[in-house]
């Protein structure tokens, strides 16, 4: 019955308000004034006061006015945007849960004395994430959702009138709503939100009463094209934490299980170096000099792997000791012994050492057998520095050159080259994203490169007074730096 009455109303004749016995048949496209045939002689001009009416039949005028297609397109756009934000928020919630799992896992490996600290951090993490999530939800509902609902309601109303109402009623109704519809069609979509994310749970120092913190190292934004976009930020500053005196002529440094090992020459006389070896710096910064003693040879490079200390000396001998300093084995690496500093790096349970004379990289097993040799044509006779990048690549440079490059250790291919570091010295890799290179300009600075592309990203100059940085290592966010002439190992906090 209701439908019948609606259709009857649609078919009902609408009489002119001026000429009561004549039906409305025409309307102006511009001002939407309704006219009957008797109104034409006195219709006058349009609302702008200058032009004549642009007349159409009621049916034609009705179809032109009802811009359902435009409204539907706009509605579809906002609907898709709404769904995308909702999906990003779901992803954000999942990431929150994953971060909490990381937080709990880190907490479980710590002693009971820091339980209260973890509870506080959990609360801080959830509050930060909930605050950011609340901002995203409010943006989705109040900014996008409201506009989407307005478009939906207006479109539904117009489609219902088009199906059930008389053309006159449709035109009158549209005339009343015209400004509102124009606003909905032209109103600017609100700007996208952007916010900082807590994206890692990190141990600040490896010691009994561990301090931990939540770090904002990534930024995220929601866009219609990509949804939630997260980017890792490079370090911007380094702050000195501690400085420890070590033996003279230190060339290399490596940190393992909270203990730092420094490879030394033991004598500033480069002609007759006397006794070299390894200094040991424990978790309390207590130094044991000549923890490992090596007569007549300087320790140019040091690394620790599977509770074994591996050193490469100036006589091209690789020596292996246990963590108590006891000798296990040794072998001689093929290289020109008259050349100065050479280094080793442990990659995928193999020891990589440059052979400058033959321009190759030699790979040894952990017991000293040669397992592979790869060409490395960029090597020269000068000193060489290197650092393991991952299980399949290595970073190499020579201090007499501004060239830093990455080598694929399975093929020997050069992955990328960078010539932006003027005087490279120490090198290490950070967070599987960045290469940190000490540049011995005045003053010495820390250059940040992309590990994946070699692109020069930034230069950190805020720490000053570093001296010649012969070697670098990284543990968590702590940079370990060997200062050669000052005979010190320095610890910096990366931020």
């Amino acid at each position: 019955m209701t439908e019948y009455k609606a259709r009857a109303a649609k078919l009902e004749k609408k009489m002119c308000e001026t000429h009561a016995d004549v039906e409305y048949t025409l309307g102006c496209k511009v001002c939407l004034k309704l006219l009957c045939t008797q109104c034409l002689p006195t219709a006058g001009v349009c609302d702008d006061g200058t032009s004549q009416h642009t007349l159409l039949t009621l049916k034609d005028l009705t179809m032109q006015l009802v811009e359902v297609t435009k409204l539907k397109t706009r509605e579809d756009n906002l609907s898709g945007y709404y769904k995308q934000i909702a999906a990003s928020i779901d992803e954000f919630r999942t990431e929150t849960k994953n971060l909490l799992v990381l937080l709990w896992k880190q907490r479980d490996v710590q002693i009971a004395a820091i339980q209260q600290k973890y509870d506080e951090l959990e609360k801080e993490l959830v509050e930060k994430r909930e605050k950011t999530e609340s901002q995203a939800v409010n943006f989705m509902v109040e900014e996008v959702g409201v506009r989407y609902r307005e478009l939906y309601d207006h479109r539904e109303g117009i489609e219902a009138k088009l199906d059930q109402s008389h053309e006159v009623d449709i035109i009158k109704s549209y005339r009343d709503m015209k400004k509102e519809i124009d606003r909905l069609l032209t109103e600017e979509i609100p700007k996208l939100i952007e916010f900082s994310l807590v994206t890692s749970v990190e141990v600040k120092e490896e010691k009994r009463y561990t301090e931990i913190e939540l770090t904002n190292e990534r930024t995220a934004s929601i866009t219609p094209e990509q949804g939630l976009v997260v980017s890792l930020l490079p370090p911007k500053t380094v702050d000195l934490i501690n400085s420890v005196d070590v033996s003279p002529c230190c060339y290399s440094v490596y940190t393992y299980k909270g203990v730092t090992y420094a490879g030394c020459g033991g004598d500033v006389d480069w002609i007759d170096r006397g006794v070299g070896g390894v200094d040991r710096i424990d978790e309390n910064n207590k130094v044991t000099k000549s923890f490992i003693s090596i007569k007549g040879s300087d320790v140019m490079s040091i690394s620790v792997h599977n509770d074994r200390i591996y050193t490469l000396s100036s006589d091209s001998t690789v020596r292996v000791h246990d963590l108590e300093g006891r000798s296990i084995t040794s072998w001689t690496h093929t290289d020109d012994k008259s050349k100065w500093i050479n280094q080793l790096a442990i990659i995928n349970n193999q020891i990589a050492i440059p052979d400058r004379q033959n321009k190759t990289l030699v790979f040894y097993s952990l017991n000293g057998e040669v397992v592979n040799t790869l060409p490395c044509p960029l090597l020269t006779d000068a000193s060489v520095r290197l650092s393991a990048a991952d299980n399949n690549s290595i970073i190499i440079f020579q201090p007499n050159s501004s060239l830093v490059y990455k080598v694929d250790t399975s093929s020997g291919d050069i992955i990328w080259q960078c010539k932006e570091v003027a005087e490279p010295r120490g090198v290490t890799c950070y967070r599987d994203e960045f290469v940190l290179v000490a540049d011995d300009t005045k003053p010495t600075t820390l250059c940040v490169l992309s590990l994946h592309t070699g692109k020069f990203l930034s230069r950190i100059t805020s720490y000053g007074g570093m001296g010649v940085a012969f070697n670098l290592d990284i543990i968590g966010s702590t940079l370990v730096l060997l200062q050669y002439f000052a005979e010190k190992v320095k610890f910096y906090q990366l931020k």
Side-chain angles (χ1 to χ4, degrees):
M1 180 61 72
T2 301
E3 183 179 354
Y4 173 78
K5 289 181 178 180
R7 292 192 176 276
K10 180 177 177 64
L11 297 173
E12 179 186 356
K13 291 183 178 182
K14 295 290 183 177
M15 312 309 289
C16 178
E17 294 178 357
T18 304
H19 308 96
D21 58 341
V22 182
E23 182 181 3
Y24 279 123
T25 56
L26 300 170
C28 177
K29 178 181 178 180
V30 178
C31 67
L32 303 182
K33 182 176 181 179
L34 295 169
L35 303 169
C36 70
T37 53
Q38 293 187 20
C39 291
L40 294 177
T42 59
V45 295
C46 203
D47 285 352
D48 60 11
T50 59
S51 61
Q52 296 296 320
H53 290 292
T54 303
L55 299 178
L56 296 173
T57 66
L58 295 185
K59 183 176 181 180
D60 290 342
L61 179 57
T62 299
M63 294 309 297
Q64 285 201 17
L65 292 178
V66 182
E67 302 182 39
V68 176
T69 301
K70 291 184 179 179
L71 288 173
K72 184 65 169 65
T73 301
R74 185 75 165 182
E75 177 195 344
D76 289 343
N77 290 340
L78 276 179
S79 175
Y81 189 25
Y82 185 97
K83 292 176 181 177
Q84 193 170 51
I85 296 174
S88 295
I89 291 172
D90 287 340
E91 182 180 348
F92 189 87
R93 290 169 177 164
T94 300
E95 187 186 43
T96 300
K97 294 177 182 178
N98 293 338
L99 283 168
L100 286 174
V101 170
L102 290 175
L103 182 65
W104 296 332
K105 180 180 179 181
Q106 184 61 52
R107 178 196 61 196
D108 291 341
V109 301
Q110 305 300 314
I111 60 176
I114 60 171
Q115 180 65 50
Q116 181 178 356
K117 177 65 176 179
Y118 276 105
D119 291 342
E120 293 172 357
L121 285 169
E122 180 180 337
K123 181 180 178 182
E124 177 189 350
L125 172 64
V126 174
E127 286 178 351
K128 286 184 177 181
R129 304 289 293 196
E130 286 181 346
K131 181 179 179 180
T132 303
E133 180 183 322
S134 177
Q135 293 173 349
V137 171
N138 288 340
F139 175 79
M140 177 181 69
V141 175
E142 297 177 8
E143 298 295 335
V144 180
V146 169
R147 289 167 173 77
Y148 166 62
R149 187 64 195 179
E150 287 179 339
L151 282 167
Y152 177 85
D153 291 344
H154 278 80
R155 183 182 60 77
E156 287 287 301
I158 290 175
E159 288 183 344
K161 290 182 183 297
L162 182 63
D163 185 52
Q164 300 175 0
S165 301
H166 193 280
E167 285 90 349
V168 171
D169 293 333
I170 294 173
I171 294 170
K172 286 182 176 180
S173 176
Y174 191 93
R175 182 173 59 192
D176 294 338
M177 295 188 300
K178 188 174 186 302
K179 289 184 178 180
E180 180 66 13
I181 291 176
D182 289 342
R183 179 185 69 81
L184 292 173
L185 289 172
T186 60
E187 185 176 44
E188 183 179 353
I189 294 178
K191 294 183 179 180
L192 304 174
I193 60 173
E194 185 169 333
F195 44 85
S196 295
L197 299 178
V198 174
T199 57
S200 68
V201 178
E202 180 181 321
V203 179
K204 292 179 66 176
E205 295 182 36
E206 290 191 352
K207 60 183 182 182
R208 182 174 178 82
Y209 296 102
T210 306
E211 295 181 10
I212 60 177
E213 64 181 0
L214 305 174
T215 58
N216 291 324
E217 293 181 333
R218 301 173 187 254
T219 59
S221 60
I222 297 176
T223 70
E225 295 80 13
Q226 296 175 282
L228 186 64
V229 180
V230 181
S231 302
L232 182 65
L233 301 177
K236 295 181 179 179
T237 62
V238 289
D239 298 326
L240 181 63
I241 301 172
N242 195 23
S243 179
V244 179
D245 293 331
V246 292
S247 298
C249 299
C250 282
Y251 300 99
S252 56
V253 66
Y254 197 91
T255 299
Y256 181 77
K257 293 184 177 180
V259 177
T260 300
Y261 301 89
C264 306
D267 196 324
V268 295
D269 184 354
W270 293 359
I271 303 300
D272 182 13
R273 293 184 172 90
V275 178
V278 176
D279 287 1
R280 182 182 186 274
I281 307 170
D282 68 15
E283 296 174 328
N284 298 315
N285 296 320
K286 179 182 178 181
V287 180
T288 303
K289 293 188 176 182
S290 297
F291 170 70
I292 297 173
S293 179
I294 301 173
K295 292 184 178 181
S297 185
D298 298 347
V299 174
M300 298 293 184
S301 182
I302 186 169
S303 186
V304 188
H305 181 72
N306 290 344
D307 293 344
R308 295 290 184 265
I309 302 171
Y310 295 84
T311 61
L312 176 63
S313 301
S314 55
D315 61 359
S316 293
T317 300
V318 179
R319 294 176 173 87
V320 186
H321 296 78
D322 64 20
L323 296 183
E324 300 299 322
R326 295 183 292 260
S327 178
I328 297 175
T329 188
S330 65
W331 66 89
T332 300
H333 169 63
T334 301
D335 192 27
D336 189 341
K337 297 180 182 180
S338 66
K339 309 304 179 185
W340 210 33
I341 297 175
N342 199 358
Q343 290 195 326
L344 60 78
I346 299 179
I347 303 172
N348 202 21
N349 288 319
Q350 294 182 2
I351 303 170
I353 309 177
D355 178 353
R356 291 166 289 185
Q357 187 173 4
N358 295 305
K359 295 185 181 297
T360 60
L361 280 176
V362 182
F363 293 84
Y364 296 92
S365 71
L366 298 178
N367 295 318
E369 296 87 2
V370 175
V371 295
N372 195 14
T373 301
L374 292 176
C376 192
L378 296 180
L379 283 174
T380 68
D381 291 341
S383 298
V384 64
R385 307 283 201 281
L386 65 160
S387 175
D390 50 42
N391 286 336
N392 298 299
S393 61
I394 191 170
I395 307 297
I396 302 177
F397 71 84
Q398 296 187 266
N400 66 329
S401 166
S402 62
L403 178 63
V404 180
Y405 54 99
K406 183 179 180 181
V407 177
D408 186 323
T409 54
S410 60
S411 64
D413 294 337
I414 306 299
I415 299 174
W416 54 253
Q417 300 181 43
C418 175
K419 299 181 179 180
E420 302 295 324
V421 185
E423 298 181 39
R425 289 297 183 266
V427 60
T428 189
C429 298
Y430 180 53
R431 294 196 181 284
D432 297 326
E433 291 284 344
F434 308 108
V435 180
L436 307 181
V437 185
D439 186 354
D440 193 25
T441 51
K442 306 298 181 184
T444 301
T445 57
L446 190 67
C447 298
V448 183
L449 314 180
S450 167
L451 177 61
H452 307 297
T453 65
K455 180 181 178 181
F456 187 95
L457 300 177
S458 61
R459 183 184 295 272
I460 303 175
T461 59
S462 60
Y463 58 98
M466 187 182 68
V468 179
F470 256 57
N471 200 222
L472 301 177
D473 192 23
I474 198 86
I475 179 68
S477 60
T478 300
L479 177 68
V480 185
L481 181 148
L482 182 61
Q483 190 174 354
Y484 178 80
F485 291 110
E487 301 167 6
K488 294 181 182 296
V489 172
K490 292 186 175 182
F491 300 85
Y492 293 89
Q493 182 68 47
L494 286 169
K495 294 181 180 179

